[in-house]
Amino acid sequence: MLTVHTTNGTTVRPGPGPAGLTALARREAPRTEETRRLTPEVAAAIGAAGFPRHFVPGRWGGAEGGFGALLTGVAEVGEACGSAAWCAALYAAHGRLAAYLPAEGQRELWERGPDARIAAAVVPPQGSAVAVDGGWRLDGEWRPASGVDHADWVLLASWTPGAADREHRIFAVPRAELTVLDTWHTSGLRGTGSNTVAADGVLVPEHRSFTLDALLRPRPDAARCHTVPYPMVAALIFAAPLLGIARGALRAWTGERSRAASPHPAAHTVLAEASTRIHTAGLLLGGAAGRADHAEITPLAVAENRRDATAAAVLCREAVDGLFRTSGLRAQAPDHPVQRAWRDATAAAGHATLDPDAAARAYAAVVLAPEQGGPL
């Protein structure tokens, strides 16, 4: 569990403690894949390790934690199970998004404690939201919603009319008011349970909604994690599980090679190249987390974080791909750890938030227009 202690008068908020979770996630990985969702034991352990509360405001008992600590914790879990790491990262991230709700909405989410697990399907907007007296009525389907089977709440997004144009609006809905449709049949990240959710006339009061553009504006008098604009950290959070997946693949591949009677003729090159890529990815993500936690927030810093996080994702995917291609016939078995890592890494790196071309365009737009590089 997360604790708060003081050193030389400074409040320190440690990151999630994944040690017990990591061992459990490794043992449960086969069942997680088979059932296509986290096991109840792993979902509970993610909560006990402090991931859902990591970004929850302190007024509700949350940790208001840092991005560096989250990166470390998620990557460690990812070495054991990519699906568990993916859900741990997103439960934390969605707690951060929910902190942008009006105060009354936050109270409803966290009145029983800061460990509520929150799933989400907020990009792109889906379903329909119709204004009614005092709030909104939601109808339709939203996908994918990772970890929704074990969620207490779900954030959903739809287009709504705005003052000048349509708005991308986010709604917080109790999981019990939604129907989960079993649609997650994939090759990678099978255990995330990223199923579809359906709403049929679900009423959401106004205080449980906010618009997406709120995530671009720093919150006054908030903890550091709530003053960082969403584009600065979105790719970092999605890349964190991928770093752990790649490290786990390298460990499994190295263990097999050290025991092999006739090692691959290019094993030394594969090992050096994969480890270099993974190490570089870790440095890039660590730097991005450091900027998110400590640097001045400027358009350039935001663009650099997107650039580095997406580059790290590419490096991890390339490293795992090389390891899988040189793992021999044994790795063709679906329960082989390197194959599972390859499937998970391929799926994770394909997430739209980790698109390196979009990140490159955003970076070039800032660098080639330096007059826009001042503080946000």
Side-chain angles (χ1 to χ4, degrees):
M1 298 290 286
L2 287 173
T3 57
V4 178
H5 59 88
T6 301
T7 303
N8 297 327
T10 301
T11 300
V12 178
R13 298 183 184 275
L21 167 60
T22 300
L24 177 65
R26 181 174 287 108
R27 292 195 303 270
E28 294 288 287
R31 190 153 68 103
T32 296
E33 283 236 322
E34 180 183 355
T35 60
R36 293 177 292 105
R37 57 179 56 89
L38 300 180
T39 66
E41 295 82 2
V42 170
I46 287 173
F51 286 97
R53 69 166 60 191
H54 187 67
F55 291 125
V56 173
R59 66 185 297 190
W60 310 115
E64 295 182 333
F67 294 94
L70 183 68
L71 170 64
T72 299
V74 168
E76 184 174 330
V77 177
E79 292 190 43
C81 177
S83 292
W86 187 265
C87 291
L90 293 189
Y91 284 148
H94 299 154
R96 181 176 178 273
L97 299 188
Y100 286 81
L101 286 166
E104 187 177 352
Q106 294 182 40
R107 182 179 296 107
E108 285 193 36
L109 261 72
W110 294 308
E111 63 184 352
R112 296 184 179 180
D115 296 316
R117 294 189 292 264
I118 304 172
V122 296
V123 178
Q126 300 171 74
S128 70
V130 177
V132 296
D133 187 27
W136 306 86
R137 188 187 74 230
L138 301 186
D139 291 277
E141 296 182 0
W142 288 258
R143 65 180 301 180
S146 297
V148 69
D149 293 282
H150 302 289
D152 303 296
W153 290 82
V154 186
L155 301 179
L156 303 174
S158 298
W159 291 117
T160 60
D165 197 358
R166 63 180 185 173
E167 294 178 324
H168 185 158
R169 180 170 290 275
I170 298 173
F171 307 90
V173 184
R175 159 66 181 81
E177 295 182 11
L178 299 166
T179 301
V180 176
L181 307 178
D182 184 12
T183 57
W184 189 245
H185 299 265
T186 61
S187 60
L189 295 176
R190 289 178 180 173
T192 60
S194 301
N195 286 305
T196 299
V197 294
D200 182 9
V202 172
L203 299 178
V204 181
E206 182 65 34
H207 64 261
R208 279 204 260 118
S209 77
F210 62 95
T211 56
L212 185 72
D213 64 359
L215 302 178
L216 305 178
R217 300 191 299 269
R219 297 186 60 199
D221 304 319
R224 170 71 188 200
C225 64
H226 299 301
T227 64
V228 179
Y230 180 74
M232 189 172 187
V233 295
L236 168 64
I237 291 173
F238 281 105
L242 190 47
L243 178 62
I245 292 167
R247 287 173 174 170
L250 181 62
R251 177 175 288 108
W253 186 93
T254 303
E256 283 202 344
R257 296 289 76 71
S258 65
R259 297 188 299 270
S262 55
H264 190 282
H268 56 289
T269 301
V270 173
L271 175 61
E273 290 182 349
S275 61
T276 298
R277 285 188 171 97
I278 296 168
H279 180 66
T280 302
L283 294 175
L284 287 170
L285 293 177
R291 277 193 293 268
D293 284 334
H294 305 295
E296 181 183 9
I297 301 171
T298 65
L300 179 59
V302 172
E304 287 175 336
N305 264 28
R306 289 187 66 184
R307 176 201 67 190
D308 290 355
T310 56
V314 171
L315 288 167
C316 289
R317 179 188 56 76
E318 290 175 342
V320 177
D321 188 61
L323 295 170
F324 177 63
R325 284 188 293 104
T326 56
S327 290
L329 183 61
R330 285 177 301 218
Q332 299 307 310
D335 60 349
H336 191 279
V338 177
Q339 187 193 128
R340 186 175 75 239
W342 177 72
R343 290 188 280 103
D344 288 348
T346 301
H351 194 279
T353 307
L354 296 175
D355 180 3
D357 186 64
R361 289 196 301 270
Y363 177 69
V366 174
V367 172
L368 299 180
E371 69 277 2
Q372 299 180 19
L376 289 176

